[in-house]
Amino acid sequence: MTNWQRTFAFVSGALVFGLLFIIISNSFIQYVAHEGTTGYLFLFGFGLIFLNLNFGISRRFAIKALNPSGVAYIMAFLTIGPTIFWVYTKDVGLAELHLVFVLTVIFSAFLGSYFGIRRGAVKRQQYIQRLRDEKQDIPDSLKRPHDDLSRN
């Protein structure tokens, strides 16, 4: 595994973001159980947040790493893990909607990772192509400056 330091940093960062998100949003989970538009909007909001969070993490990792697929999905799991643990261990007021909430979070996180990997690979290829296109030859004066020196 090349760049294991980068992989470790991204994986631990994903876990920290997951923990940070549940600490910030734990009081808002109860609104998912409200009937009508409020419940759907909060459920949709949680889905969008996890989708965007995992999209950003996976895209950034895919730009830097050569084979990001497996690690990106592990990062998605570590991002949603604290939220799922919180929902099943605490009484958050979801009643019968535990499964709907968990499936929405899982689906949005893995969907964000999938599209993040794809977008990161495209950006990496664009970056490599731009480097190849912009590659300029070094001026003759900079190639071997010691050749013009006298041998004395």
Side-chain angles (χ1 to χ4, degrees), residues 47 75 113 136:
M75 289 187 301
S113 289
Q136 298 175 359

Side-chain angles (χ1 to χ4, degrees), residues 33-98:
H34 285 194
E35 293 182 11
T37 309
T38 305
Y40 288 123
L41 286 177
F42 271 91
L43 184 63
F44 185 68
F46 272 98
L48 277 180
I49 289 170
F50 278 106
L51 186 130
N52 286 325
L53 182 65
N54 285 296
F55 176 81
I57 293 171
S58 297
R59 180 181 55 91
R60 181 79 173 162
F61 185 72
I63 290 171
K64 305 285 184 183
L66 296 175
N67 190 7
S69 296
V71 177
Y73 291 119
I74 291 171
M75 289 187 301
F77 178 73
L78 290 175
T79 305
I80 61 174
T83 301
I84 294 171
F85 181 76
W86 188 274
V87 166
Y88 280 114
T89 58
K90 302 289 183 186
D91 181 25
V92 292
L94 284 180
E96 301 88 31
L97 293 175
H98 278 101

